[in-house]
């Protein structure tokens, strides 16, 4: 797969360059505790007026995202679910020869592995290694509601996994590394999220973002300028796959260090930090069109000298 990111001398034209915004949900566009997105509403409305797709990239399930994206006003944009395991395509993003939309108008492309295989291998390695963890599918509905703070109907949707299994780790670091090594031999990965670890296939947020960018280029004939925002370790691959990125200050205390030269770190958390990050990169024409390779410090220096 070719690298979709532009080179520093790409020569963007403000009037012609299309843009795509990829965003994590929990702890980013959605508040970590309340799941509110109120502080991001003005920017969401502005991006919609500009015709910029805002694409959720999340560990949530398809069942969770479909109603949520309607509530947020993103019903006509694609989404990436379960940390890259599957992609949902609205009609405007479908290829007439290869995509078959369902009754809801969405075509689903599976990029990961079947959930049955993931759960089977987790059970095998737990017994073989003698380690302790609890998967989401093993939690009662009440336990999941208490752990996540989700209302019961949304917690039910969170359990409808298709390509990844969240788990709560309850053992030591050595056991975690042994589990990670075992899953790697099965072609699976262990990724840290905000509340859970996620066992999933080789597909990840970054590879799914790259797939969607290539789909956009194939359909539109133009390479878009891309921005991604996230707050957790499972967002790193996504933040590295785009032209400009924002690490939103998290509530989890986990390090998020993407290899991304065009990076901004927000002062605020959640949707307030999300709005801060979008305003930093796309709030002015010169920043909006800064190519990859321009650091946040350089961009700030240019603004101060302007």
């Amino acid at each position: 797969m070719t690298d979709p990111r532009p080179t520093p001398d790409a020569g963007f034209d403000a009037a012609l360059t299309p843009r795509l915004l990829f965003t994590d949900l929990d702890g980013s566009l959605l508040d970590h505790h309340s799941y509110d997105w109120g502080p991001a509403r003005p920017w969401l409305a502005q991006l919609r007026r500009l015709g910029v797709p805002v694409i959720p990239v999340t560990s949530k399930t398809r069942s969770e995202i479909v109603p949520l994206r309607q509530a947020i006003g993103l019903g006509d944009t694609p989404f990436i679910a379960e940390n890259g395991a599957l992609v949902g395509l609205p009609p405007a993003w479908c290829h007439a020869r290869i995509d078959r939309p369902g009754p809801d108008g969405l075509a689903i492309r599976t990029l990961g592995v079947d959930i049955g295989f993931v759960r089977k291998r987790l059970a095998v390695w737990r017994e073989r290694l003698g380690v302790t963890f609890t998967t989401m599918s093993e939690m009662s509905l009440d336990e999941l509601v208490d752990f996540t703070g989700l209302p019961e109907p949304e917690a039910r949707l969170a359990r409808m996994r298709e390509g990844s299994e969240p788990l709560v780790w309850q053992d030591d670091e050595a056991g975690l590394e042994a589990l990670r090594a075992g899953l790697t031999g099965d072609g699976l990965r262990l990724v840290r999220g905000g509340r859970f670890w996620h066992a999933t296939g080789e597909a990840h947020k970054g590879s799914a973002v790259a797939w969607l960018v290539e789909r956009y280029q194939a359909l539109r004939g133009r390479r878009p300028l891309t921005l991604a925002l996230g707050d957790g370790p499972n967002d790193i691959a996504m933040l590295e796959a785009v032209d400009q990125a924002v690490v939103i200050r998290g509530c989890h205390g986990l390090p998020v260090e993407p290899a991304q030269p065009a990076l901004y770190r927000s002062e605020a958390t959640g949707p307030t930090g999300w709005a801060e990050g979008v305003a930093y990169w796309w709030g002015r024409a010169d920043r909006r069109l800064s190519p990859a390779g321009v650091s946040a410090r350089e961009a700030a220096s240019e603004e101060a000298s302007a």
Side-chain angles (χ1 to χ4, degrees), residues 56-76:
V57 185
T58 176
S59 60
K60 290 183 179 296
T61 64
R62 182 206 329 190
S63 299
E64 290 177 277
I65 295 173
V66 169
L68 179 60
R69 63 198 274 273
Q70 295 290 346
I72 299 175
L74 306 178
D76 56 353

Side-chain angles (χ1 to χ4, degrees), residues 26-28 30 32 229-232 246-254 256 264-274 276-277:
D26 292 354
S28 298
L30 305 180
H32 182 78
L229 304 94
D231 76 309
V246 176
V247 173
I248 298 170
R249 186 161 67 88
C251 300
H252 43 64
L254 300 171
V256 182
Y264 176 75
R265 293 183 180 273
S266 76
E267 294 293 329
T269 61
T272 302
W274 188 94
E276 176 190 337

Side-chain angles (χ1 to χ4, degrees), residues 24-263:
D24 175 51
L25 292 181
D26 292 354
S28 298
L29 181 58
L30 305 180
D31 182 84
H32 182 78
H33 302 289
S34 68
Y35 299 99
D36 175 53
W37 64 86
R41 287 181 189 271
W43 261 111
L44 287 171
Q46 174 71 355
L47 292 167
R48 186 172 185 82
R49 285 193 295 270
L50 293 171
V52 177
V54 175
I55 301 170
V57 185
T58 176
S59 60
K60 290 183 179 296
T61 64
R62 182 206 329 190
S63 299
E64 290 177 277
I65 295 173
V66 169
L68 179 60
R69 63 198 274 273
Q70 295 290 346
I72 299 175
L74 306 178
D76 56 353
T77 66
F79 62 82
I80 294 169
E82 297 191 43
N83 288 317
L86 65 143
V87 175
L89 299 169
W93 286 69
C94 290
H95 193 294
R97 293 199 305 272
I98 59 178
D99 297 316
R100 295 291 180 267
D104 58 0
L106 290 169
I108 303 299
R109 295 294 299 268
T110 300
L111 306 181
V113 297
D114 180 72
I115 184 61
F117 177 74
V118 177
R119 288 173 175 164
K120 180 179 179 181
R121 298 313 299 170
L122 281 172
V124 166
W125 285 110
R126 176 162 53 190
E127 181 177 357
R128 186 174 297 178
L129 298 172
V131 294
T132 304
F133 59 83
T134 302
T135 66
M136 180 182 284
S137 61
E138 293 167 336
M139 291 180 168
S140 69
L141 188 60
D142 288 342
E143 288 173 334
L144 185 57
V145 167
D146 289 342
F147 187 74
T148 63
L150 289 169
E152 183 175 312
E154 295 179 23
R156 290 183 185 276
L157 297 178
R159 293 161 64 98
M160 299 174 69
R161 318 301 299 184
E162 297 178 78
S164 67
E165 179 69 11
L167 61 91
V168 179
W169 185 251
Q170 298 157 319
D171 216 305
D172 58 22
E173 190 68 24
L176 182 66
E177 290 307 309
L179 176 62
R180 189 193 305 276
L183 292 175
T184 298
D186 292 329
L188 301 176
R189 303 166 61 248
L190 199 58
V191 182
R192 183 66 185 266
R195 290 180 173 86
F196 294 94
W197 286 91
H198 298 262
T200 185
E202 293 295 339
H204 50 67
K205 287 187 175 185
S207 60
V209 163
W211 188 91
L212 260 183
V213 170
E214 288 194 355
R215 167 57 64 91
Y216 182 93
Q217 290 180 243
L219 293 175
R220 305 291 188 269
R222 291 282 313 212
R223 184 190 64 232
L225 176 67
T226 53
L227 171 66
L229 304 94
D231 76 309
N234 63 330
D235 295 318
I236 290 175
M238 171 182 70
L239 298 172
E240 293 178 343
V242 295
D243 304 318
Q244 299 164 330
V246 176
V247 173
I248 298 170
R249 186 161 67 88
C251 300
H252 43 64
L254 300 171
V256 182
E257 302 290 343
Q260 168 59 268
L263 182 67

